[in-house]
Amino acid sequence: MTIQSFPMTSSVSTSQGVLPPAGFGVYESSVAGPSASFVHSVPELNENEETELYSVSWNQDYSCFAAGTSHGFRIYNCDHFKETFRRDLKSGGFKIVEMLFRCNILALVGSKTNAQYPPNKVIIWDDHQSRCIGEFSFRSEVRAVKLRKDRVVIVVEHKIYVYNFMDLKLLHQIETLANPRGLCCLSHHLNTSVLACPGLRRGQVRVEHFGLNMTKFINAHDSQIASMTLTMDGLLLATASIRGTLIRIFNTVDGTRLQEVRRGVDRADIYSIALSPNVQWLAVSSDKGTVHIFSLRVRVVGDDLSTEVTGVNCSALDHQSSSNSLDGLVSPNTGANPSSSLSFLKGVLPKYFSSEWSFAQLHLPECTQFMTAFGSQNTVIIVGLDGR
């Protein structure tokens, strides 16, 4: 066991034999029951005890989701929907459960009532070995954890830490505005390494292109950022502010705004934003009890955006002064999103009259928080914190 200390963090502990990303296994539905470490450390949970749902988080390709509960965590498959396995214990629950695609590695952050795993500590858990292979401790509560095959990203209130997954060594520290929501998103293509997070100014998004050694600041909104997401290749960014009326799509390389859609007029708390894998659709859930579906005008080739967008953005890097650098990225408005009949007076009437509205809405109860994602074959998956 080795311990290495870094500024602003208490300690990072690693166990010998940390598996490289290429060696990760895959979850199998035959895995069931409490893991060995949990059984030895605490008694099993009584099945009659009530379990509260703390959080829901999707894996990187939306094929699974993890549920953090008051007694542990559960993993679910989306297509076909079923519970894959669960881990229950009596020491307390987990407020953050982050998956790495469908492999055996999880990042866990305990709830405030968890006596063994406090909320200022991140556990990297190998479920095949049934043991902790890494541990991070901080002076303040952990707000979010994000994983990709080569990085571990941990978010606290005013800072983001980026670690190498192989040896858990600290690579980057990023200062942010107060970030109680733990906003941060990553790309997941091997040929791009992109991170987006709040900047140091209200409404600003900081985009780190680690592979290009480039930082881009995007002034996305006038109000504070409430939600954001990246495409898998990290080249497109969708954002919403705490006002919750407008959702904007940006090119992360040059910061150009590509499209703006309107959820509504009244203020709303945006719970989640999702982009479909083919970048044709955008879904937004909020406290208004409605999931809005928008058609995107981003040009795609088949089901894969990365090839064309990568070419466009490489050109944009070399010719950022060219007014035609976005011609290949934005297609003409197909009219799928309805707009005002007075939209032809754009620039004359207030901006509201030229807005693009959602072409479909899914109505849900307003009493709970719903998270949305896109499944296979243009399906929409919605999970509520009430367990539905």
Side-chain angles (χ1 to χ4, degrees):
M1 182 76 71
T2 60
I3 298 178
Q4 182 170 359
S5 297
F6 300 114
M8 299 301 293
T9 121
S10 299
S11 64
V12 177
S13 303
T14 62
S15 300
Q16 293 182 354
V18 175
L19 296 178
F24 287 167
V26 177
Y27 280 127
E28 300 291 347
S29 58
S30 59
V31 179
S35 66
S37 177
F38 288 164
V39 170
H40 292 162
S41 59
V42 291
E44 290 187 40
L45 176 68
N46 185 336
E47 292 184 358
N48 295 325
E49 293 186 33
E50 184 177 350
T51 300
E52 182 181 354
L53 183 59
Y54 284 164
S55 67
V56 170
S57 61
W58 308 99
N59 73 339
Q60 288 76 7
D61 60 6
Y62 304 113
S63 61
C64 297
F65 67 89
T69 75
S70 55
H71 294 296
F73 63 88
R74 305 176 187 184
I75 305 297
Y76 294 85
N77 193 61
C78 292
D79 187 18
H80 298 285
F81 177 76
K82 66 177 180 179
E83 181 181 311
T84 305
F85 74 96
R86 67 174 66 186
R87 300 287 179 254
D88 288 333
L89 59 155
K90 277 192 173 179
S91 65
F94 294 101
K95 68 167 189 173
I96 296 174
V97 182
E98 184 73 10
M99 300 180 68
L100 181 60
F101 290 94
R102 299 176 66 88
C103 82
N104 51 295
I105 303 298
L106 294 165
L108 305 173
V109 178
S111 64
K112 292 181 179 179
T113 59
N114 193 320
Q116 189 174 4
Y117 305 109
N120 67 322
K121 184 178 290 188
V122 178
I123 303 298
I124 306 298
W125 179 259
D126 184 337
D127 206 70
H128 280 181
Q129 299 186 54
S130 296
R131 69 185 183 97
C132 169
I133 59 172
E135 182 178 300
F136 303 83
S137 295
F138 299 86
R139 296 176 184 173
S140 60
E141 185 175 338
V142 174
R143 300 297 185 179
V145 182
K146 302 296 179 182
L147 301 178
R148 51 176 278 154
K149 292 181 179 179
D150 57 351
R151 297 289 183 266
V152 179
V153 177
I154 300 174
V155 183
V156 294
E157 183 87 18
H158 292 277
K159 185 171 283 192
I160 293 175
Y161 298 91
V162 181
Y163 299 89
N164 183 34
F165 215 142
M166 293 290 290
D167 53 16
L168 303 185
K169 295 295 179 63
L170 181 65
L171 300 177
H172 308 281
Q173 298 183 56
I174 302 171
E175 301 279 351
T176 70
L177 203 63
N179 187 13
R181 296 173 183 249
L183 299 179
C184 181
C185 45
L186 303 175
S187 66
H188 296 288
H189 280 188
L190 291 177
N191 60 343
T192 58
S193 183
V194 184
L195 178 150
C197 65
L200 289 172
R201 298 180 180 178
R202 184 180 63 187
Q204 183 185 73
V205 177
R206 174 173 179 162
V207 180
E208 292 287 345
H209 291 267
F210 293 118
L212 299 175
N213 194 26
M214 181 183 75
T215 302
K216 185 67 183 180
F217 292 95
I218 299 174
N219 294 319
H221 300 272
D222 294 330
S223 304
Q224 288 182 324
I225 305 297
S227 184
M228 65 173 73
T229 191
L230 286 168
T231 50
M232 288 287 285
D233 57 19
L235 298 177
L236 296 176
L237 169 74
T239 65
S241 75
I242 58 174
R243 296 183 64 182
T245 54
L246 299 172
I247 296 88
R248 291 168 174 160
I249 314 296
F250 297 91
N251 175 349
T252 62
V253 175
D254 62 12
T256 304
R257 190 171 77 195
L258 304 176
Q259 189 174 355
E260 177 183 276
V261 295
R262 180 174 289 275
R263 181 211 57 81
V265 180
D266 297 333
R267 190 185 185 98
D269 188 4
I270 301 298
Y271 292 146
S272 66
I273 301 177
L275 292 163
S276 65
N278 57 15
V279 202
Q280 289 183 326
W281 317 108
L282 170 75
V284 179
S285 65
S286 73
D287 64 347
K288 296 298 184 182
T290 305
V291 173
H292 291 264
I293 310 295
F294 300 90
S295 174
L296 295 182
R297 292 186 287 109
V298 178
R299 188 183 300 277
V300 295
V301 178
D303 292 332
D304 190 332
L305 177 72
S306 60
T307 303
E308 179 169 342
V309 175
T310 300
V312 170
N313 284 316
C314 288
S315 174
L317 282 175
D318 296 332
H319 307 286
Q320 288 192 22
S321 62
S322 171
S323 61
N324 295 323
S325 62
L326 297 176
D327 286 351
L329 203 62
V330 182
S331 62
N333 191 346
T334 60
N337 293 327
S339 58
S340 169
S341 60
L342 300 177
S343 60
F344 68 95
L345 293 175
K346 181 179 180 179
V348 178
L349 293 177
K351 190 176 181 180
Y352 168 87
F353 290 97
S354 59
S355 297
E356 291 184 51
W357 298 77
S358 58
F359 75 90
Q361 303 85 36
L362 308 174
H363 297 283
L364 306 164
E366 296 182 25
C367 57
T368 190
Q369 182 173 340
F370 285 94
M371 312 299 288
T372 186
F374 284 94
S376 59
Q377 301 177 347
N378 286 331
T379 56
V380 177
I381 311 167
I382 303 169
V383 181
L385 287 184
D386 62 353
R388 286 182 285 179

